[in-house]
Amino acid sequence: MKTTNLTPWCNLFSTASKYSIEVKKSRYKLLIYSSVVVFLIASVLVFFTYAYYAALVITVCSFLFFGILLANKDNPAVVARFELDNKGLCSFDGVHYYQLLINSRFSFFGCWLNLQYCSDNTRYKTNNNDTVKRVFIFRDSLCEGDFSRISNIISQLNHLD
């Protein structure tokens, strides 16, 4: 006896080509801002005084503190969710659609996403350049699979042109 499938194969393909991406709160952002402040304080101490040892102690203690913060593997809360398909169409809460542009980049530190607003989900871009959003997502905000998907989609977009 043959059982019938209730889901047609075309629906399976369309859901398999969309990825749900979760962005979590980043710890790197706090560490970068803190390290810039420590660098500025240490440089002021070194340039305007002879307190080299104080600058060295402040730098070493701050790096130890940053190491402890990085070693803490708590599970941060999800900040944002969006769906991304193979062609670079992003859907935020199913209402707002953005097209990932080819000048988006990824690196060891995170993803620079340039998104252009689309009038609907059929990828009709508006001609207004004011609707381009630039978003940076730190790498630790994404799980390994999500970062890999985003980087693959950005690479595919760059090879299309």
Side-chain angles (χ1 to χ4, degrees):
M1 181 171 123
K2 185 176 181 181
T3 59
T4 59
N5 191 354
L6 297 177
T7 307
W9 67 270
C10 60
N11 287 346
L12 289 174
F13 178 74
S14 66
T15 57
S17 64
K18 292 181 183 176
Y19 306 108
S20 178
I21 308 291
E22 289 185 350
V23 180
K24 298 178 182 175
K25 188 173 179 181
S26 176
R27 290 180 292 165
Y28 288 168
K29 185 177 183 179
L30 172 69
L31 293 176
I32 288 173
Y33 291 152
S34 303
S35 62
V36 166
V37 169
V38 167
F39 175 75
L40 290 176
I41 291 172
S43 63
V44 166
L45 283 176
V46 168
F47 288 134
F48 296 117
T49 65
Y50 293 107
Y52 298 117
Y53 291 117
L56 183 65
V57 167
I58 289 172
T59 306
V60 168
C61 289
S62 63
F63 279 117
L64 287 174
F65 180 69
F66 294 155
I68 291 170
L69 281 179
L70 275 177
N72 186 8
K73 295 282 187 182
D74 59 346
N75 199 1
V78 174
V79 177
R81 284 190 177 104
F82 62 94
E83 283 189 0
L84 182 66
D85 69 353
N86 287 336
K87 303 298 182 190
L89 187 66
C90 299
S91 169
F92 296 94
D93 63 31
V95 177
H96 303 288
Y97 292 94
Y98 291 89
Q99 175 64 43
L100 195 64
L101 299 177
I102 61 171
N103 57 357
S104 299
R105 299 286 181 251
F106 64 93
S107 69
F108 67 95
F109 203 58
C111 299
W112 294 93
L113 303 179
N114 292 324
L115 303 166
Q116 186 171 18
Y117 182 73
C118 296
S119 59
D120 57 2
N121 62 355
T122 57
R123 295 183 186 206
Y124 294 116
K125 297 178 194 173
T126 57
N127 291 329
N128 191 357
N129 286 335
D130 296 334
T131 59
V132 174
K133 285 190 174 185
R134 291 169 182 87
V135 178
F136 182 77
I137 301 174
F138 287 96
R139 187 173 186 151
D140 73 329
S141 297
L142 301 168
C143 67
E144 290 295 323
D146 289 344
F147 183 78
S148 175
R149 288 181 190 107
I150 290 176
S151 60
N152 285 338
I153 291 170
I154 290 172
S155 296
Q156 289 174 1
L157 289 176
N158 288 332
H159 291 299
L160 288 178
D161 288 340

